[in-house]
Amino acid sequence: MAKSSTVTKPRDILGNSALRPDGAHKVQGSFEFTSDMHAENMLWGATLRSPHPYAKIVSIDTSAALALSGVQCVITADDVPGKPTYGLISSDQPVFAQDFVRYMGEPVAAVAADHPETCRRALSLIQVVYEVLKPLTNPEDAVAGTFDPIHPDGNVIRHQRILRGDQTITGPIVVEGEYVIGMQDQAFLGLEAALAIPDPDGLGLHLHVATQWLHEDLTQISACLALPAEKIRLTLGGVGGAFGAREDISLQVHCCLLALKAGRPIKMQYSREESFFGHVHRHPATIFMRHHADADGKIIKVDARFVFDGGAYTSTSPAVLINGITHTQGPYKCDNATVDGYAVRTNNPPCGAMRGFGVVQACFAHESQMDKIAAAVGKSPVEIRLINAMVTGDPLITGQIMESVAPVARCITETGAIPLPEPMGQSVNELSLPGGSGLTASRSNIVRGIGWGVSMKNLMYSEGFDDYATARCTLKDGVASLKFATSEVGQGFVTLAPQIARSVLGVDEVILEPIDTQIGSAGSTSASRQTWMSGGAVDGACRLVRERLFHHVGLMHSIDPLRLVIDGTDVVDQVGTFRISVAEASDGVEISETFEHHHRATEELDENGQGNCHTAFAFVAHRAVVDVDPELGLVKVVQIATAQDVGRVLNPLSAIGQLEGGIAQGLGLAVMEEIVMKDGKVRNPSFTDYLLPTALDAPDVVAVMIEEYEPQAPLGAKGIGEPPCISVTPAIVAAIRNAIGKNIERIPVRPQDICL
Amino acid sequence: MSANEFYSLRVNGKTMPVQDSWVGESLLYVLRERLGLPGTKGACEQGECGSCTVLMDGDAVCACLVMAATAINSEIVTVEGITSETSLTDVQQSFVEEGAVQCGFCTPGLIVAVHHLLEKNPQPSEFEVKEAISGNICRCTGYGRVFAAVEATIRSRNEVK
Amino acid sequence: MSVIVAKELTTALTALREHADARLIQGGTDLMVEINFNHVKPTTMISLRDVESLRTIRRDQSGMLSIGSGVPYSIIEGEPVLSAIPALAQAARTVGSPQIRAAGSLGGNLGTCSPAGDTLPVMFALDAMIHLNTVDSSRVVSIHDFMTGVKRSVRQHDEIITSIDFPIINGWQGYSKVGVRNAMVISVASACLVADHENAHVRIALGSVGPTIIRCREAEAWLKENHNLSTGASISLDVADEFGKRAAAESSPIDDHRSTAEYRRHAISVLASRLLRKAYQ
C-alpha cells in the first residue's frame, strides 16, 4: 500500500535528475518533429542528385519535368539569386552543381510538386547530360599533387605541421604503425526535414528546420537567397538527433528557394538513402604514427603523418585536421613532436563534423601505439598510461599549457577499480555469444579479451573562433521564462536550462520560449559546448535578473541588496530575519536580461603548429571486455567500464544517457559501421548494410563520473557529449587484439581482419 | 479495390476512411499523411529500424512494410492508441523517469514494442527483453536507460500484484 | 493500381489467373521494400494476409510436418516446429527483427528465392517439398528443383505456394548464420546440417555462397565413406575440419559490399565443421 508521503519531492535544480520537459510528448508520439510539420497549401520538394562521383555537366533540360501535371517549379543553379556557394569555413560548395558534379549525390536540381510521388516522377524527367570523368578517390594522390585540381581551390584543403622540441631526438624503444579509420556516418534517426513558408509579399520567409546552429544556417541562407537576414526567420523544428550531420547546410537553401519561387510553403524531407548522400560524414583517415620511448616506456617523441579525406567540399575539414593533429600526443606528457597533417579534397563524399571531430581518428592511433610501447617494455596497458599521464600545467605539443583540470591518472585508476564482469560460465546461453541467434559458436570457441583506451578532447571551438552563446531570462510573477537559440537535438539542454534558472532564481516554474533566430546566436550544438556556453549564457542572464530582483526587494524593504541571497524558493536576508518568497518578491514586476557568454580567447596556430588554439579539455578512460570467436572473427562487447572527467554532474540521468549513447557510437565504429566506397561510389546507403548497434549489441556500461570542479567553466561542469565515443573505440580493438594475439590497425574491424 | 477508391482501416478502435490515396501506399504513409496520426515515425522505409512499429491484430510489425490497402480486415493500434486519454501508461512513465528518451524519434516505436513484449511475456528475461527490442534502433541512448525503463515497469507491475 | 484482399485461396488463385500483371503479397517484408524504393511498381496486388488456410501447421502420419506458406516466422520459432524441425525454428529466429518475423513467412522466403533466404538452407537439407496451386491444378516440387537461380524459381505466374512439407528426421539438426552484428543481419554465410540416423547420412546445405542454395553432395559422400556414422560416435576435430573444407570447396561465394569470397568460404568451413561436431559429440 502506498504511504502518504511527507517527504517533498526534491526540486529540479542543478545536480538533480530533472526529467525532460518534452518527455511526456515524446513517449506519446505527440512531440512535433520537423518531419511531422505541415502547412496549409503546402507543396513537397525533392532533390535531383548526381549519380557520378565526378563529371562535367553538359546540359540540364527541365522542360519535361515542368510539364508534368502537379509540378509547380523546377530550380537549378541558374535560379540561385545570391551567392551560388556556401560553406562553414570556405564557401566552396555549390547550392546546385553548375559546371561539374564532384561527388555521388551532389544536388543538381530541385522540384516542388503536389505529392512526393509527383516529385519523384518529375525528378526522373529532368534530363541531365554528363560527361563522366575519372574521379580522384585516393587521398594520397591529392597530397602528392599528381591529380589535376578537381576544384578551383585545389586538391589540398589544408596542410599544417606541428614541430615541437628536439626534432632529432630518439629513444631506445621505437614503435610505429599505420592506422586506417573508415568513414562513419552519424545516422541520426530523425531524417532531414524542413518547412519553408514564404511571406505573402515574397520578400522574406519563415523556415522551420532541424539543425544544429540556427544562426549559421541563417547567414548562409541569407547570402544565397540575396535576402537580408532580417527578412528570414528560422525556428527550430523538433530534431531527431544530429551528431554533427546537421552542422552543414543540407536542404535549407533548396527548401527556401522553392518556397520563394512557388509562392507556397514547401516541405522537404529526405529518405534514409538520400540522407546518406545529403549530409557530411566522419573523415576517413590514414595516420602513420611512431613513438620513441625510454626503457621504462616514457614517451620521448612522437612522429605522425595524418591524411584526412575531406571529400569534394571543404565543410569543416580544416578544423577537423587541427583537432586531429593537436591531439596526436593523447592525454600524455610529450616534449618532442613532428607532425604533418593534410586534409585533402577528393571525389569521395564530403566529410565534416561528427561527434569527436578528428580526435576519434587520432585517438585510435595513439592508443594503439601506447599498447605497442607497453608490449615493447613489458608493462601493462594500465601502467604505461599511468606513467605517461598528463597533469594540469603540462605543456602540449602546440606549446599551449594544459590549464584545464586534468585528472588523467584518476580516470584510469577509477576505471580499473570497476569490477570486471563474471567470467563466462560453462553453461552460458549460446544466444549471447558472438553471433547471437546465428548460433555460430559454442562456449569453447570463444576467447575473452580486455583492452584500454584513454583520451583527451578539446571543448568548444578553437583557433580564435569566438563561438559565444546568448540567452535571455525574464522573471515575472514568480515564473521565469528563458529564450535562447540553442538547438535541442536530444542532448537535454531543454532540461538543463530550467534547472539553472531554478537554482539561480529560486523559481519552480520555468517556461521555455520558442527556439528561433529572434535572439542572438547560441553557437552550434557540437564540440561538447552547450552546457558550458549556452548554460553559461542562461546562468549569466539569470544572475543579472537575480541582481535586479535583489535590488528591487532591497528598495521595497529597505535592505541592502548585498545581504540578499536565494534560499530554496525564497529571497532571504543573510544577516537579518527577512524572508519573502520569490513569487511574492517578483509579483507585479517584470525583469528581463540578456547575456552573452564568451569563452576566453584562443589563437591560431603558427606555421610550426604552435599557439594556444584550444579553449579547454576533458578526459576519459575506457576499459573494454570483449568476447571474440577467433575462427569466425565475430565479436560481442560484454562490458565497457569508464571513468569520465565531467567537472560537475548537473543532471545524473542526462549524464549517464550521454555516456551510454556515446559508447554505443564508438562501438559502432569499432566493429560494424562503415560507409563502403568503391571508385567514389557509395555501396551501402541503407540500414540493411550500414549497420548500427542494436539492443543485442549493447554492452553493460559501468560508469563513474569524476567530479573535479572545472574553475573555467561557468557551472563547473565540462562538456560530456564527445569523450564517451572517442577512446572506447581503441579500447574495444585492444580487447580484440588481446583475445586473438594479433595486431589490427584498422577500424571498423571486420571478421576477416580477425580470422584471416 | 482500385486506385483512388475509398477504403477504410480500423485504427485505435475507430473505423477511419482513407480517400484519394494510391493503394500502394504503406500503412506508415497512410497513418501519418492521411489519417492525422503522425506519432508513428519513419526512419528507413525498409523495416530496419523499428521506428514505425505498430500493432496489427496483436502483433508488433513495421508499418512501412504493410501495404495499407491490404490491412482492411485488421485491427491496428498505434502509439496514439496505446496512450490513454488521462495519463501516461506505466511504460511511458518509466521511459520518461528512467531517462530513456533523448531525441525521441525511436521512442514511439519502442513504446509499442515494449507494450507488446510485456503483454505477451510479463516476466521476460534480460535476454528476452533485448531480443524483443532488437528491431528498434536507438542512436542516442545506447539502450542502457531503455533497459532500465523496461525493468522499472516490470518491477512496478510485480509490486502491484 | 488495384488491390485484391483475398479471404479465400480460390479468390486469390482466380485473380492471379485473371490478371497477368498481378503480384502476390503476404507479409510484405520483401515486396514493400521494393515498392517503397520504387524498384517495383505493381499494377495489381493480391494480398494473402487474410487467407487463413495458408496459416496452418499439420503433422501427418507419414512423419511429415506441413507448414502453410503464410505462417509467420514468429510462429515457426515455437512449437510444434521447435521440437519437430529445430533447424527451421533456429533459422526463423535469425530472420530480421521481431517485427519482420511477425510478418514474414516461408512462402515469402520461397517467393523471393534469394540465396540469402534464411530458411532455404533448411529446406534444402531436409529435402522439403513445395506445394504449388493454380486455380485448377496443383503440383508438388522438390525444393531442389524449385530454386533455379538468384531470385529465380519454377513458380509460374499463376501459381501460389500453399505449403511446404518437411520430413521429420531422426537425428540432430542445426542451423548457423554469420552476420557482422548480433541481430537483424543479412546472412554473409549460413549452413544447415541434418544428421539422418536412419540412413547413417549427414546432409549439409549452404546459403549466401552461390547463386542457389548449395547441397554439398560430395562432402556428404566423402563423410559417409570415410567415417562410420551409424555408431553415432563423436567425430574428431580432424574429420570435422576436413568435412568443413570439402563443404566450402563446393561453394562459389562472391566479393560484395558485405563480405569477401575468401571470408565466406572460410566461414562455411568453420560452420560446417562445428555443426558436424555438434551433431556427433
Side-chain angles (χ1 to χ4, degrees), chain A residues 430-493:
Chain A
E430 279 197 0
L431 293 164
S432 31
L433 297 177
S437 62
L439 294 177
T440 46
S442 309
R443 161 79 181 80
S444 59
N445 303 124
I446 308 301
V447 183
R448 180 165 285 187
I450 301 176
W452 282 82
V454 185
S455 66
M456 78 178 177
K457 172 70 179 59
N458 65 313
L459 310 172
M460 281 71 73
Y461 279 34
S462 307
E463 292 193 277
F465 199 103
D466 179 13
D467 56 303
Y468 65 92
T470 316
R472 184 174 70 230
C473 171
T474 305
L475 176 64
K476 184 178 169 177
D477 299 328
V479 174
S481 54
L482 299 175
K483 178 79 179 179
F484 44 77
T486 313
S487 264
E488 172 62 39
V489 303
Q491 84 281 24
F493 187 72

Side-chain angles (χ1 to χ4, degrees), chain A residues 701-716:
Chain A
V701 173
V702 187
V704 167
M705 310 277 176
I706 292 179
E707 293 186 83
E708 288 188 21
Y709 193 98
E710 170 55 66
Q712 277 189 67
L715 302 169

Side-chain angles (χ1 to χ4, degrees), chain C residues 60-73:
Chain C
D60 75 18
Q61 278 103 323
S62 66
M64 185 90 70
L65 197 70
S66 178
I67 303 179
S69 62
V71 175
Y73 293 121

Side-chain angles (χ1 to χ4, degrees), chain A residues 145-309:
Chain A
T146 51
F147 206 100
D148 284 345
I150 60 172
H151 187 283
D153 295 350
N155 294 343
V156 175
I157 295 171
R158 186 170 183 183
H159 173 222
Q160 178 70 52
R161 327 189 64 180
I162 300 177
L163 301 178
R164 174 85 181 155
D166 183 347
Q167 295 300 298
T168 61
I169 196 169
T170 60
I173 303 295
V174 184
V175 298
E176 65 185 46
E178 184 158 271
Y179 303 97
V180 175
I181 297 94
M183 189 189 293
Q184 189 178 20
D185 191 81
Q186 301 84 344
F188 47 60
L189 281 209
L191 294 164
E192 286 86 345
L195 176 65
I197 303 172
D199 291 343
D201 63 9
L203 298 175
L205 54 91
H206 189 172
L207 179 70
H208 299 264
V209 62
T211 184
Q212 288 174 233
W213 192 353
L214 289 165
H215 287 72
E216 184 56 34
D217 283 3
L218 174 59
T219 303
Q220 294 175 86
I221 293 167
S222 163
C224 294
L225 299 184
L227 282 178
E230 307 80 66
K231 299 295 282 176
I232 305 169
R233 264 184 70 178
L234 263 61
T235 298
L236 189 72
V239 185
F243 317 115
R246 299 197 206 263
E247 206 163 65
D248 294 76
I249 291 279
S250 57
L251 42 52
Q252 290 88 329
V253 179
H254 300 158
C255 199
C256 289
L257 280 175
L258 286 171
L260 289 172
K261 185 121 195 226
R264 287 168 67 171
I266 302 287
K267 167 99 173 270
M268 285 188 85
Q269 60 188 43
Y270 288 176
S271 67
R272 178 58 56 186
E273 185 176 341
E274 183 166 21
S275 181
F276 275 106
F277 294 106
H279 60 254
V280 298
H281 316 279
R282 188 189 295 289
H283 288 73
T286 302
I287 303 171
F288 170 80
M289 205 175 271
R290 176 193 292 133
H291 279 79
H292 294 262
D294 68 17
D296 292 322
K298 270 208 156 116
I299 295 170
I300 293 172
K301 183 171 193 276
V302 64
D303 299 330
R305 179 179 181 273
F306 286 68
V307 176
F308 282 92
D309 183 351

Side-chain angles (χ1 to χ4, degrees), chain A residues 32 419 584 589:
Chain A
E32 194 175 46
E584 212 190 309
V589 295

Side-chain angles (χ1 to χ4, degrees), chain C residues 127-166:
Chain C
D127 299 329
M129 302 296 287
I130 318 297
H131 287 258
L132 295 148
N133 286 50
T134 69
V135 68
D136 51 22
S137 68
S138 67
R139 59 179 176 144
V140 184
V141 174
S142 163
I143 183 64
H144 302 288
D145 300 322
F146 180 86
M147 183 176 191
T148 56
V150 177
K151 301 199 167 173
R152 290 205 324 264
S153 73
V154 299
R155 185 185 76 84
Q156 295 300 302
H157 165 78
D158 61 352
E159 288 182 305
I160 291 180
I161 301 158
T162 50
S163 63
I164 302 96
D165 291 341
F166 291 88

